[in-house]
Amino acid sequence: MSAFTCCLFENTVVLFGGSDSSNHQNNNLWHYNLVSNTWKKMQQLGDVPQPRESSTAVMLGNVMYLFGGISLSVELIYQDMFLLEVANSKWSRVHSTGDIIPQRTLQAGCTVDGRIYIFGGQYIQYEETCYDDLFEIVLKGTEAVVRSIKTAVRPPGRHSHSLTPLSSQYLVLIGGEGFPKEHQDEEKEEDESTVTFGDVWLFDRIKINCVKVEPRNPIFKPRSNFSCVEHDGRLIIFGGLRNNNQLYDELLLLELDLDKLATVHNTKLCNNCHQLTAVQELYSVKEQLEMSFHFLQATANLIKFPFAAFGLLIDNCVSIGATTINISILDREDEQDTRIVR
């Protein structure tokens, strides 16, 4: 079976839906007991969801919430939401108000502070659409209030990615598959195909902004359909699908320094020397950028490492679109030598 959803509740893995080897979707509910190492097919009660695959399921307390998915047999992509009382396997339909989440499948979701967050997903009708939107869902029983979260910077639309909470403030978006253009409202070329992403994005749900994070090593390769969980402030990533549809069997650990994230929102890291470079703030776009206090402070801290300081200078000049740099060099006799670097 594939494309099912599952959540962990105490010592039980709760599994719903998916497709069999004949590509037939089901709406079966299974429990796997981690202590006894046994499976049990559950008798379901209430308003049981239709058969589907590639939906999103998250846990809030002793309740599992299910959203979206697709049924290939009836050619239908869902935008409905259900809750499952795990203790008695009873389903109820959730009624939502506020913003509308369009039909989608292969989206990613997570929970933070009792709220559900959903990003991206895929919709196929006459052509494929990859969403780049983020929604926050506040729940009270079978009632939900949906809010669309808009950020000045947003990742390209995608599906088959991961969305993982990091502390109570951040959501980490990794990888997936989508179109290479920045926004999905641009017209796609007829022969344009999807690509697999290897990027990492950080949503700040308190400040309502988003920034791309550049990993410092090339170990992480583009992938989709992988697993990602948070443990002790680290993200553990397993497996995934490559561009050529081959599978990864590796286990990776992604560490983000939370103490520096507040600075990262208004700066970025140089890919070569990994020092802070002066860039524009997310909400104050300027045609020409000026050297910031972050840059001056970082440069002062690099006096003992001239090569890193020079790399930092070059990065900032590139960021402001400079074509000429005037550099004054003092030799041992204190004679000033002014050179022009292009």
Side-chain angles (χ1 to χ4, degrees):
M1 191 162 60
S2 64
F4 51 83
T5 59
C6 65
C7 290
L8 179 64
F9 174 65
E10 296 180 347
N11 292 322
T12 300
V13 176
V14 183
L15 186 150
F16 176 80
S19 295
D20 59 22
S21 57
S22 300
N23 207 23
H24 293 151
Q25 287 73 51
N26 68 80
N27 59 350
N28 298 328
L29 179 66
W30 292 85
H31 282 190
Y32 174 69
N33 190 295
L34 296 172
V35 177
S36 62
N37 193 28
T38 56
W39 285 98
K40 181 180 180 180
K41 187 176 181 180
M42 307 303 295
Q43 183 68 38
Q44 302 177 75
L45 304 172
D47 192 355
V48 180
Q50 296 86 348
R52 66 189 65 198
E53 65 171 69
S54 304
S55 51
T56 295
V58 297
M59 287 295 305
L60 280 177
N62 60 353
V63 175
M64 184 180 83
Y65 288 89
L66 181 80
F67 175 82
I70 184 173
S71 177
L72 298 176
S73 60
V74 296
E75 298 183 349
L76 183 61
I77 297 179
Y78 298 102
Q79 63 180 141
D80 49 8
M81 182 181 296
F82 295 84
L83 68 81
L84 172 70
E85 299 172 38
V86 178
N88 57 17
S89 300
K90 182 179 179 180
W91 290 95
S92 299
R93 186 178 293 269
V94 177
H95 305 281
S96 63
T97 58
D99 294 322
I100 297 176
I101 306 178
Q103 297 166 274
R104 65 189 62 203
T105 183
L106 295 169
Q107 65 279 348
C110 65
T111 61
V112 182
D113 288 347
R115 305 182 179 205
I116 297 177
Y117 293 87
I118 292 177
F119 179 86
Q122 178 192 58
Y123 179 73
I124 302 177
Q125 189 173 21
Y126 303 108
E127 64 178 9
E128 179 180 357
T129 298
C130 295
Y131 293 110
D132 62 353
D133 45 12
L134 176 66
F135 293 92
E136 177 189 70
I137 305 174
V138 180
L139 293 141
K140 186 176 182 181
T142 58
E143 301 297 324
V145 178
V146 180
R147 179 172 70 102
S148 175
I149 298 179
K150 311 250 185 222
T151 57
V153 176
R154 56 182 176 173
R158 65 193 65 201
H159 62 80
S160 307
H161 50 286
S162 68
L163 185 69
T164 311
L166 187 64
S167 78
S168 61
Q169 185 171 353
Y170 302 102
L171 309 176
V172 184
L173 171 70
I174 302 176
E177 183 178 334
F179 294 100
K181 294 183 178 180
E182 281 295 324
H183 301 296
Q184 299 306 304
D185 53 8
E186 299 179 8
E187 294 185 359
K188 297 187 289 293
E189 300 293 337
E190 292 184 0
D191 59 346
E192 185 177 8
S193 59
T194 59
V195 298
T196 303
F197 295 109
D199 49 1
V200 179
W201 294 80
L202 196 71
F203 287 101
D204 187 328
R205 72 183 196 93
I206 305 300
K207 297 180 180 179
I208 315 297
N209 59 24
C210 179
V211 65
K212 186 177 181 180
V213 180
E214 298 289 350
R216 295 189 180 186
N217 58 55
I219 294 177
F220 187 77
K221 299 295 191 302
R223 68 192 64 207
S224 63
N225 298 281
F226 55 93
S227 296
C228 180
V229 296
E230 183 272 340
H231 176 70
D232 195 23
R234 300 175 178 180
L235 299 184
I236 302 172
I237 300 169
F238 176 75
L241 195 63
R242 306 185 187 193
N243 287 317
N244 54 7
N245 288 328
Q246 294 183 347
L247 300 175
Y248 289 105
D249 61 355
E250 59 191 7
L251 185 67
L252 300 176
L253 183 67
L254 175 62
E255 295 184 271
L256 295 174
D257 191 341
L258 290 177
D259 293 333
K260 296 181 180 179
L261 291 183
T263 303
V264 171
H265 281 300
N266 294 328
T267 59
K268 70 178 181 180
L269 293 176
C270 167
N271 292 330
N272 298 315
C273 65
H274 311 310
Q275 301 297 330
L276 295 178
T277 63
V279 297
Q280 65 203 61
E281 295 184 0
L282 296 180
Y283 299 104
S284 57
V285 179
K286 303 176 182 178
E287 294 182 1
Q288 295 294 330
L289 306 180
E290 299 177 354
M291 299 297 181
S292 69
F293 288 109
H294 294 291
F295 167 76
L296 297 176
Q297 182 178 2
T299 304
N301 294 334
L302 290 173
I303 296 300
K304 295 182 180 180
F305 306 97
F307 182 78
F310 181 77
L312 184 61
L313 172 63
I314 298 299
D315 285 343
N316 279 271
C317 292
V318 171
S319 72
I320 64 175
T323 57
T324 302
I325 307 172
N326 293 323
I327 301 177
S328 296
I329 302 175
L330 296 178
D331 59 18
R332 294 182 180 179
E333 286 77 27
D334 293 333
E335 294 180 358
Q336 184 168 321
D337 180 14
T338 301
R339 305 182 184 182
I340 297 178
V341 180
R342 296 185 183 275

